Amino acid sequence: MAEGSNRGEDPTSSTRMRMDTDPNAAIIEFLTKCDDYQLFQLTKFYRDRLEQAIEEGVDGVSSLLTYERHFSGQEHRTVVDLVEKGNRVDSSKLLLNLVMEKGSRARRVMWESFVKMHHAVPKLDKILKEMQELGPDPFDYMNIGRGLSEIPSHLKDVQQKHKETLRVQTETLRVNTILIKEKVKIFQLVNLYTELTVISTVRDRTLVEHELLARGRDHEEWRKKHLRRELEKIRTDQLFQSSFSWRKSKSGSSAAVSGVAGIGKTTMVQKIVYDWATGKIYPHFQFVFSFKFRDLNAINCRINLRNLILDLYPYFGNILGELWKNPEGLLFIFDGYDEFKDIIDFTDNQINTQPKYMCTDPEDRCKVSDIVYSLIQHKLLPGCSVLVTSRPTALHLLETAEISVCAEILGLVGEERKEYFNKYFVDKAVAAAVFKHVEENEILYTMCYNPSYCWILGLSLGPFFTQRDRKQQRAPRTITQLYSYYIYNILKNHGREIESPRDVLLKIGEMAFTGVSEKKIVFRNGDLIKYNLQPSQFLSGFMMELLERDDSAQSVVYTFPHLTIQEFVAALAQFLTPDPRDIRKLLSEAHSKEDGRFEIFLRFVVGLSSSQSARPLEEFLGPFLHQTICGVIDWVKEKVEGQIGNTESETGKRNLLNTFHYLFESQNQTLARVTVGSVETLTFSGLGLTPIDCAVLSHVIGLCDTIKHLNLENCSIQCEELQRLGPALHKCQVLRLESNKLGDSGVKLLSAPLRNPDCKIQELQLQYNDLTGSCSEDLSSALSINRSLTVLDLSNNKLGDSGVKLLSAALRNPDCKIQKLRLWDNGLTASCTEDLSSALSTNRSLTALNVGCNNLGDSGVKLLSAALRNPDCKIQELELEDVGLTNSCIKDLSSALSTNWSLTVLNLGNNKLKDSGVKLLSTALRNPDCKIKTLGLDDVGLTDSCTKHLASALSTNRSLTGLNLGKNKLGDSGVKLLSAALRNPECKIQKLGLDENFLTDSCSEDLSSALISNRSLTVLNLRSNSFTDRSVPALRSLIQNCSSLERIGLGGNQFRPNGKRHLESLRESRPGLSVGV
């Protein structure tokens, strides 16, 4: 029976109650009312969007369908396998294909799963909300576009002629070059066009600004992340008659597509028109008419829609009246709304008060702006469709318009960038080489989201990778070298067109610098005249390559092809001026701006002080000013020296990294060696590093003598970043790489510097790096060869028993020099302890082992105890905190402590030893051969029952200086017994932990009296007990009279404000005394 058959029944009271409280009630009710055919239609209608929406949760949906027995185990595994391989796109497509084949019940279960998960999946949430907003019967909307009338036979000929005209107009793409002989190249549109990523909503301004500020891999990851989670991709054929354009009325549909300059809006419109003309998209549109706003600006008289079309397409003659009869078959495209000379107010109240702005008849003469307004608002030819494109700067003007779909071109994302270069270069080897070079460079890669910037890169880099030149020239290594070559190409092809290119570049550069200073990227005729540049000079190809001219009826504006070109020309001007200003002052002022507007400009200035970058330009511009070059070098030297030790704050770290970028751009090895050659410590912890940051850092480290300490903790370093760092890492003595995402492949890369015979790494920190047993073979191999590494921290990874068994083999190698090994929280069990014990028994260098927070259990520790009894065991420090011990293993451990002569530090905290276990330990501590100096027994379940035995051990042991008994239940009676031992002059305790032990005022006098007579105590922890102001006199006496005491912790007790003040006042009684209340 169809689920829809119950729609006439009244819901029960329990159902009503559930709907009142359940936020999903409305959508559940809607789906329940859908019969099988309607659910089929719903799935089909939203199919494209559902494919994107469920990518993040496709495995969960598949699990539910498998549980409900709609999917077989094999089908579920196929879906999940695709997910595990990272191919979520194909996985979601497969799931929907299977569901559509399975039938109505599977579709219903799938939609039920969508309701359960939609709050965690933004794209799915959006679809379900739209379904509710469509009203009680959304199926009306799904049927829009059906039953369009056939085109009358007498219109078919003109339609064919129109399609042929548009095909010819749009089939080729004109691309500018900087070559004087071949100023424009003609390409077939289909051969060069690369699909752009378009999203179905326009992001708010803050999101766009974030993206503009981001660079490199972060920029790419940011885009991918938002595409996966929130931003829905939309194809150009989905702008009309699809589930995206849900805000429809019977009067028609309008769509707006925005995108920054150069992103490809006009080319996208050309492709839409070409695809319609060739029958690939929009078969329901009988005629498409495309207009450019910059052309409409030339119309200064009143005109009707008929003549607007006939001016472009005169062959329509007198038959336009036939077209007006079927407006649903018409699509009007208006490209470049931001260039329109008139501002159209779409607010209803404005139109209502001034109805003259409305045009309702295609034969009526009115202003062009009225025609555009009336078409978009469906007042003119209701039922037609309209597409408008605009830069984001003018998009706010369309906010109140009747727009069904508002989309944004993100540009080239991921593989689309690679595809662009593959189409740009005929030679695929050259394309691959250029793209690889671009991909490795942060700024170049960031530029590639915009097709116009890809064109600049292809133009500049191409010659370096052609077969003819590949062996003769090296591709630009720095950004400055790349842009120098870009300007060099322009000068080479157009330099003869003007008398003094140096003078013109100086003037343009000064204007560009003002623009960078004022965050200005659009210039007008007045700006050119202010800098003695005549607009008539734009007749020369030279000027046309540096500035792009944009004519409109209102004014003429000029922009640089890309902001970085403006920044480069601004930097270049500093070396061309005949009257040099104080360059060091200018650079310092620019550097002081914290909003980053001068960051790239400064890199260019420093880069241009390098002969490698300056040489090609000097061929046409003459020598750069020596005075300026020297000033720049002095400024960089001053910056490095001032920042090298100022890396405590994130700002300090970022500033130093930027300064290193200056050093890299300068390629001045002498300057680098003078400034960083003797640096011993570099700290960038917590600062996200990009691949180019790491390449720059590697370059700088390579010029240092020896780096004693390199801290790259939590720097978002993955394989790609590590690969850039690799060549220089062997020079560091202490290398901190914890809390990154190196993974097993990262350790494989790290093994190379460890194997380097010149490796100086002594300490390597690799905690929290998602390492598994798979990396242990590479690591073990490196440890067997390395002669410098003595400290290795692998804590908080997932090496497992298999990984530690491989490491143990390396530890048994007599050439292994490891002294301290930390394996805290690595998923270890007793299975690996036999191998570890064997290593402890034979290794002559290992003195400290941390295997805490692993499930070794009693059996594992018994094996380790056997190794400790071996006279060849050199272990001095053993960390066994939280390893699942009970009192069952203490007999073996105590036996080991009585015979081992090397072990001095033992931590058994957070195990279940209890009183009986500590009684056995106390026996070992009384043995005069026991050398334990520090013992951790915090949180092991002790009560006052064990303190008699502990006190006896303290009274006789001559080596124990640190004892942690925190987080137990010794109570006042237990501490009173301990106090007697502490009073013994033979007791050597220096650090005593008694925090969280249920102590009260009753024991404070005994404890104070005992410790005053103790001459060794330096640290006492009494935090989180129940002392009150009654204990203050005893505690004051203890603090004042125990002359050796350096630090006492009293926080978390029950002192009143007055009692706290009395205790805190004692801080001043002795220099260096710390009293924590």
Side-chain angles (χ1 to χ4, degrees):
M1 182 185 290
E3 279 77 354
S5 61
N6 295 325
R7 64 175 64 181
E9 296 176 12
D10 290 330
T12 65
S13 59
S14 61
T15 304
R16 283 198 199 95
M17 190 180 302
R18 192 168 62 250
M19 286 181 64
D20 288 339
T21 56
D22 187 356
N24 297 323
I27 192 66
I28 291 172
E29 183 185 23
F30 167 74
L31 291 172
T32 303
K33 287 181 177 180
C34 290
D35 60 31
D36 290 346
Y37 178 71
Q38 287 174 326
L39 207 60
F40 171 78
Q41 287 291 92
L42 201 67
T43 310
K44 189 177 174 184
F45 184 65
Y46 283 104
R47 172 70 183 263
D48 288 333
R49 295 175 66 186
L50 287 173
E51 281 183 8
Q52 293 183 53
I54 66 172
E55 280 180 24
E56 291 297 302
V58 64
D59 37 358
V61 179
S62 181
S63 294
L64 184 61
L65 286 161
T66 308
Y67 177 77
E68 296 282 347
R69 299 188 178 180
H70 294 292
F71 279 11
S72 68
Q74 180 60 46
E75 287 168 334
H76 175 63
R77 279 193 296 276
T78 306
V79 171
V80 172
D81 283 348
L82 286 169
V83 173
E84 289 175 351
K85 290 173 183 175
N87 197 347
R88 289 184 174 273
V89 175
D90 286 347
S91 180
S92 63
K93 284 181 179 177
L94 173 62
L95 183 139
L96 285 166
N97 283 337
L98 289 171
V99 167
M100 294 303 275
E101 291 169 3
K102 296 288 179 182
S104 60
R105 185 60 199 153
R107 281 191 289 276
R108 198 166 293 279
V109 170
M110 179 182 73
W111 279 99
E112 287 169 1
S113 72
F114 293 166
V115 174
K116 291 175 184 175
M117 65 192 285
H118 74 99
H119 292 298
V121 184
K123 293 180 186 178
L124 202 52
D125 191 51
K126 183 179 177 184
I127 291 171
L128 294 181
K129 283 178 179 174
E130 284 179 12
M131 285 165 54
Q132 293 179 62
E133 289 175 18
L134 285 177
D137 198 353
F139 301 99
D140 283 351
Y141 296 95
M142 296 181 201
N143 292 323
I144 284 182
R146 290 187 177 191
L148 285 175
S149 56
E150 274 288 314
I151 185 168
S153 57
H154 65 282
L155 292 180
K156 285 185 177 178
D157 289 343
V158 74
Q159 185 194 55
Q160 194 57 42
K161 181 174 179 60
H162 186 52
K163 284 189 172 185
E164 181 59 21
T165 301
L166 293 182
R167 185 190 64 76
V168 171
Q169 287 177 355
T170 57
E171 67 183 351
T172 57
L173 196 63
R174 296 166 62 86
V175 177
N176 294 326
T177 76
I178 55 175
L179 304 174
I180 197 161
K181 290 181 181 177
E182 196 177 10
K183 185 76 179 138
V184 175
K185 277 189 175 182
I186 307 294
F187 294 92
Q188 289 297 307
L189 176 67
V190 291
N191 293 338
L192 198 62
Y193 187 79
T194 302
E195 287 296 334
L196 298 163
T197 293
V198 185
I199 54 175
S200 65
T201 33
V202 178
R203 297 161 298 162
D204 62 51
R205 193 167 297 279
T206 54
L207 285 183
V208 177
E209 283 174 356
H210 175 170
E211 180 179 307
L212 291 175
L213 291 172
R215 277 199 161 94
R217 200 67 50 185
D218 290 342
H219 178 285
E220 180 69 1
E221 286 303 313
W222 189 92
R223 283 165 169 263
K224 284 181 180 176
K225 179 179 129 188
H226 282 273
L227 277 174
R228 281 197 305 269
R229 294 286 298 154
E230 297 169 28
L231 306 181
E232 291 185 281
K233 288 180 71 171
I234 179 172
R235 299 190 309 270
T236 52
D237 64 328
Q238 295 172 318
L239 292 170
F240 303 97
Q241 307 291 334
S242 79
S243 62
F244 285 103
S245 51
W246 62 269
R247 202 176 78 188
K248 301 185 190 75
S249 66
K250 297 295 183 181
S251 59
S253 178
S254 296
V257 176
S258 84
V260 297
I263 200 74
K265 297 184 295 295
T266 298
T267 309
M268 183 195 75
V269 165
Q270 183 178 338
K271 185 67 162 54
I272 288 173
V273 174
Y274 177 81
D275 284 348
W276 175 80
T278 53
K280 292 176 183 171
I281 62 171
Y282 297 142
H284 48 279
F285 291 134
Q286 296 170 355
F287 294 94
V288 172
F289 302 108
S290 182
F291 304 92
K292 295 182 186 296
F293 275 106
R294 64 172 59 184
D295 296 333
L296 297 179
N297 284 334
I299 301 173
N300 296 313
C301 59
R302 296 173 79 82
I303 192 171
N304 58 23
L305 182 57
R306 170 185 290 278
N307 289 329
L308 208 57
I309 292 173
L310 291 176
D311 283 348
L312 284 179
Y313 313 107
Y315 44 81
F316 277 93
N318 296 320
I319 62 172
L320 283 173
E322 291 291 321
L323 272 56
W324 307 151
K325 295 176 183 177
N326 184 29
E328 290 83 4
L330 304 179
L331 170 63
F332 294 92
I333 301 176
F334 295 96
D335 183 29
Y337 179 59
D338 52 284
E339 301 174 4
F340 195 31
K341 65 181 179 180
D342 295 328
I343 294 176
I344 304 175
D345 189 346
F346 287 94
T347 52
D348 288 337
N349 57 356
Q350 180 77 11
I351 301 305
N352 290 339
T353 55
Q354 298 182 2
K356 63 182 179 181
Y357 287 150
M358 196 181 298
C359 175
T360 57
D361 189 333
E363 305 292 340
D364 286 351
R365 291 183 176 274
C366 51
K367 292 191 295 185
V368 172
S369 58
D370 297 343
I371 294 174
V372 174
Y373 163 81
S374 300
L375 284 170
I376 292 174
Q377 297 295 84
H378 315 302
K379 310 295 183 186
L380 176 60
L381 297 177
C384 75
S385 297
V386 182
L387 171 62
V388 182
T389 72
S390 172
R391 289 188 188 182
T393 48
L395 200 65
H396 66 282
L397 299 170
L398 292 167
E399 281 179 358
T400 53
E402 287 290 323
I403 302 292
S404 304
V405 176
C406 225
E408 179 184 354
I409 301 177
L410 278 187
L412 303 171
V413 176
E415 288 298 306
E416 293 165 356
R417 301 179 179 194
K418 190 174 184 179
E419 185 188 346
Y420 182 95
F421 286 101
N422 280 335
K423 290 187 174 181
Y424 185 97
F425 296 103
V426 177
D427 187 336
K428 295 296 175 265
V430 172
V434 170
F435 181 72
K436 184 174 185 296
H437 186 78
V438 167
E439 197 177 24
E440 290 173 352
N441 193 299
E442 171 196 6
I443 296 176
L444 301 189
Y445 191 76
T446 303
M447 290 168 64
C448 283
Y449 79 92
N450 193 312
S452 67
Y453 309 157
C454 288
W455 168 76
I456 292 172
L457 292 168
L459 209 58
S460 300
L461 290 172
F464 288 99
F465 293 93
T466 59
Q467 196 67 44
R468 186 181 69 256
D469 298 325
R470 192 175 294 158
K471 294 178 182 176
Q472 300 168 13
Q473 294 176 298
R474 277 185 64 197
R477 188 177 178 210
T478 69
I479 307 296
T480 313
Q481 289 169 10
L482 177 92
Y483 279 76
S484 291
Y485 189 73
Y486 176 76
I487 300 297
Y488 167 82
N489 268 331
I490 295 175
L491 290 166
K492 181 180 177 184
N493 290 293
H494 299 285
R496 296 196 184 102
E497 297 172 7
I498 49 176
E499 285 185 21
S500 175
R502 183 184 182 111
D503 183 51
V504 174
L505 264 174
L506 172 60
K507 292 171 182 175
I508 295 176
E510 288 174 339
M511 184 177 76
F513 178 77
T514 301
V516 174
S517 304
E518 299 173 359
K519 289 190 171 181
K520 178 178 179 180
I521 60 172
V522 177
F523 304 92
R524 303 185 184 278
N525 279 332
D527 295 308
L528 267 67
I529 293 167
K530 180 180 176 182
Y531 290 94
N532 295 316
L533 289 164
Q534 297 305 317
S536 60
Q537 287 179 290
F538 269 81
L539 295 173
S540 75
F542 175 73
M543 285 286 280
M544 288 172 70
E545 295 302 342
L546 278 181
L547 281 172
E548 293 179 347
R549 176 177 172 136
D550 192 359
D551 295 280
S552 72
Q554 282 184 316
S555 63
V556 179
V557 298
Y558 305 88
T559 56
F560 288 88
H562 186 237
L563 176 58
T564 49
I565 293 175
Q566 180 178 335
E567 291 166 323
F568 181 82
V569 176
L572 180 59
Q574 311 309 314
F575 296 87
L576 304 179
T577 176
D579 182 24
R581 65 191 90 179
D582 186 345
I583 189 67
R584 291 176 67 176
K585 182 182 177 185
L586 181 142
L587 295 177
S588 294
E589 288 175 354
H591 190 268
S592 67
K593 299 290 184 184
E594 295 182 355
D595 58 8
R597 73 180 73 177
F598 285 109
E599 182 182 325
I600 304 302
F601 164 81
L602 288 168
R603 291 188 193 182
F604 281 144
V605 171
V606 176
L608 284 167
S609 70
S610 157
S611 59
Q612 295 105 303
S613 297
R615 195 178 298 118
L617 294 174
E618 287 178 325
E619 182 182 329
F620 293 97
L621 303 176
F624 286 8
L625 286 174
H626 182 70
Q627 180 182 341
T628 302
I629 293 170
C630 293
V632 171
I633 291 171
D634 288 343
W635 179 81
V636 174
K637 183 179 177 183
E638 178 188 307
K639 276 287 156 223
V640 178
E641 290 171 349
Q643 292 171 351
I644 204 72
N646 182 26
T647 53
E648 291 182 6
S649 68
E650 184 176 338
T651 302
K653 293 167 187 172
R654 178 59 66 191
N655 286 340
L656 180 61
L657 186 61
N658 282 338
T659 307
F660 282 177
H661 274 275
Y662 304 154
L663 283 177
F664 180 75
E665 286 296 322
S666 77
Q667 293 291 294
N668 187 331
Q669 294 199 6
T670 304
L671 172 63
R673 286 201 176 94
V674 168
T675 52
V676 299
S678 58
V679 169
E680 295 186 342
T681 300
L682 288 174
T683 300
F684 294 102
S685 56
L687 201 65
L689 300 179
T690 64
I692 193 65
D693 288 333
C694 293
V696 166
L697 198 51
S698 180
H699 172 78
V700 171
I701 294 171
L703 298 169
C704 297
D705 297 328
T706 296
I707 295 289
K708 287 189 175 177
H709 195 116
L710 177 62
N711 187 347
L712 299 178
E713 175 190 0
N714 190 25
C715 286
S716 303
I717 293 172
Q718 299 183 52
C719 281
E720 189 171 356
E721 288 79 11
L722 194 61
Q723 203 164 8
R724 305 285 182 274
L725 285 165
L729 292 180
H730 70 280
K731 299 183 74 172
C732 308
Q733 291 182 355
V734 175
L735 179 56
R736 295 189 58 181
L737 288 168
E738 65 263 43
S739 301
N740 285 293
K741 299 173 184 176
L742 302 184
D744 297 330
S745 50
V747 170
K748 192 179 185 78
L749 289 169
L750 258 183
S751 300
L754 288 172
R755 287 194 190 94
N756 190 318
D758 296 323
C759 180
K760 294 181 171 61
I761 301 174
Q762 296 173 15
E763 181 176 338
L764 180 58
Q765 306 268 2
L766 291 174
Q767 311 94 290
Y768 295 103
N769 265 298
D770 297 328
L771 309 184
T772 72
S774 300
C775 73
S776 297
E777 189 170 352
D778 292 288
L779 195 54
S780 299
S781 170
L783 295 182
S784 300
I785 298 169
N786 184 282
R787 298 290 176 271
S788 62
L789 191 66
T790 57
V791 178
L792 177 60
D793 195 339
L794 295 166
S795 300
N796 302 99
N797 286 295
K798 300 172 185 176
L799 296 182
D801 295 329
S802 59
V804 169
K805 286 178 180 180
L806 285 168
L807 282 178
S808 299
L811 292 173
R812 286 194 294 272
N813 189 311
D815 293 324
C816 179
K817 305 300 180 187
I818 292 291
Q819 296 174 14
K820 296 182 178 181
L821 177 62
R822 301 186 185 109
L823 295 169
W824 173 278
D825 190 15
N826 260 285
L828 310 185
T829 71
S831 298
C832 71
T833 49
E834 187 173 353
D835 293 87
L836 259 181
S837 300
S838 170
L840 296 184
S841 300
T842 55
N843 187 288
R844 298 290 178 271
S845 60
L846 191 67
T847 58
L849 176 65
N850 183 337
V851 286
C853 200
N854 288 293
N855 191 25
L856 304 184
D858 294 329
S859 58
V861 171
K862 284 178 181 179
L863 286 168
L864 289 178
S865 299
L868 292 174
R869 286 193 294 272
N870 190 311
D872 292 325
C873 179
K874 306 299 180 186
I875 286 290
Q876 297 171 17
E877 300 176 19
L878 182 59
E879 177 71 56
L880 292 173
E881 181 181 354
D882 190 19
V883 295
L885 305 187
T886 69
N887 53 13
S888 299
C889 71
I890 298 303
K891 186 175 181 181
D892 294 86
L893 195 56
S894 298
S895 169
L897 297 185
S898 300
T899 56
N900 185 288
W901 289 57
S902 62
L903 191 66
T904 58
V905 178
L906 177 63
N907 187 358
L908 297 169
N910 200 17
N911 287 294
K912 296 177 181 177
L913 306 184
K914 299 187 177 176
D915 294 330
S916 56
V918 171
K919 285 175 185 177
L920 287 169
L921 270 181
S922 299
T923 304
L925 291 173
R926 285 195 296 271
N927 189 313
D929 292 327
C930 179
K931 305 299 180 185
I932 291 292
K933 294 180 180 178
T934 302
L935 180 61
L937 292 172
D938 56 305
D939 196 14
V940 295
L942 305 185
T943 69
D944 58 352
S945 299
C946 72
T947 49
K948 180 181 177 182
H949 299 272
L950 261 181
S952 171
L954 292 180
S955 300
T956 56
N957 186 288
R958 298 291 177 271
S959 62
L960 193 65
T961 58
L963 178 62
N964 186 356
L965 296 168
K967 299 181 181 178
N968 286 295
K969 298 178 181 178
L970 300 184
D972 296 331
S973 56
V975 168
K976 285 178 181 179
L977 285 168
L978 279 181
S979 298
L982 294 170
R983 206 178 273 115
N984 190 315
E986 301 296 332
C987 179
K988 305 299 181 185
I989 286 293
Q990 296 173 13
K991 296 180 180 180
L992 179 61
L994 292 170
D995 52 302
E996 293 187 50
N997 259 289
F998 299 91
L999 309 184
T1000 72
D1001 298 326
S1002 299
C1003 72
S1004 59
E1005 286 286 350
D1006 292 272
L1007 191 60
S1008 175
S1009 170
L1011 294 177
I1012 286 171
S1013 61
N1014 186 293
R1015 294 288 174 266
S1016 60
L1017 189 72
T1018 58
V1019 178
L1020 177 62
N1021 187 353
L1022 296 172
R1023 293 177 183 277
S1024 302
N1025 285 295
S1026 300
F1027 294 117
T1028 70
D1029 287 0
R1030 288 177 55 196
S1031 294
V1032 169
L1035 291 170
R1036 281 179 61 88
S1037 177
L1038 162 63
I1039 294 167
Q1040 289 171 324
N1041 297 301
C1042 182
S1043 58
S1044 59
L1045 190 66
E1046 297 173 2
R1047 187 167 74 249
I1048 182 169
L1050 295 166
N1053 282 287
Q1054 298 173 17
F1055 303 118
R1056 292 181 177 179
N1058 194 44
K1060 285 184 179 181
R1061 279 194 294 273
H1062 279 296
L1063 292 168
E1064 287 169 345
S1065 66
L1066 295 173
R1067 291 171 182 163
E1068 301 171 4
S1069 65
R1070 198 163 63 242
L1073 177 64
S1074 172
V1075 181
V1077 182

